[in-house]
């Protein structure tokens, strides 16, 4: 898609700090992180919003979601269990969709936030 900044990252026309890549999915660090770890997971094929998705996108959406815990592990933000049944760590996933959803870049992307709080503008 012309003039789509994330398509340009997929095509390596502009640089990004890429943390994962396969045939269908790309993940890279957010350029303006709101948390100590802030990653974006995108489909390589241009889809503007989650609102444009339907059953045909289920596979790539599943891959995006399943990649989050793998990246969380690699970036030190996975949930850990201390052996006493207490959990620590963890992360937030978020897909902003459309104007009312606060979406600014119109290529579907899933945010993954984690690390020591506070985080900017993300509530609890
Ligand atoms: P959203 O409001 O969900 O559309 O979020 C778009 C996100 O893309 C923001 O967190 C931006 O900081 C991030 N972003 C915009 N341009 C780039 C870029 N060139 N590389 C990495 N992240 C970007
Ligand atoms: Zn795009």
């Amino acid at each position: 898609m012309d003039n789509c900044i994330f398509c340009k990252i997929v095509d390596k026309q502009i640089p990004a700090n890429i943390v994962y890549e396969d045939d269908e999915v790309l993940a890279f660090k957010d350029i303006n992180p709101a948390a100590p770890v802030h990653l974006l997971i995108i489909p390589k094929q241009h889809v503007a919003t989650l609102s444009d998705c339907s059953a045909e996108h289920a596979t790539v959406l599943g891959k995006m979601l399943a990649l989050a815990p793998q990246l969380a592990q690699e970036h030190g933000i996975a949930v850990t269990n201390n052996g006493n049944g207490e959990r620590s760590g963890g992360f937030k996933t978020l897909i902003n969709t459309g104007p009312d959803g606060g979406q600014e870049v119109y290529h579907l992307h899933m945010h993954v936030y984690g690390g020591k709080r506070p985080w900017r503008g993300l509530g609890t």
Side-chain angles (χ1 to χ4, degrees):
M1 180 66 76
D2 292 346
N3 270 333
C4 170
I5 193 162
F6 287 178
C7 282
K8 288 181 178 165
I9 289 174
V10 170
D11 293 340
K12 312 281 166 63
Q13 289 172 21
I14 64 168
N17 196 331
I18 292 170
V19 297
Y20 177 86
E21 181 168 16
D22 66 23
D23 287 348
E24 289 179 283
V25 169
L26 188 73
F28 49 94
K29 294 186 180 178
D30 196 291
I31 204 168
N32 183 21
V37 177
H38 185 176
L39 307 175
L40 300 174
I41 302 175
I42 70 170
K44 281 191 164 178
Q45 192 170 352
H46 182 88
V47 185
T49 81
L50 186 60
S51 204
D52 297 299
C53 291
S54 57
E56 71 192 76
H57 300 93
T59 301
V60 73
L61 289 169
K63 285 192 74 169
M64 290 167 60
L65 194 58
L67 183 58
Q70 178 187 322
L71 294 180
Q73 196 72 48
E74 292 169 3
H75 292 265
I77 57 169
V79 175
T80 56
N81 204 313
N82 71 358
N84 292 327
E86 290 171 13
R87 296 183 181 90
S88 61
F91 54 93
K92 183 191 290 286
T93 52
L94 177 68
I95 300 176
N96 293 323
T97 303
D100 285 353
Q103 186 172 1
E104 292 177 355
V105 175
Y106 277 85
H107 180 129
L108 174 66
H109 53 280
M110 184 169 73
H111 297 260
V112 180
Y113 307 95
K116 189 171 162 47
R117 286 177 178 270
W119 301 345
R120 176 165 44 84
L122 290 164
T124 54

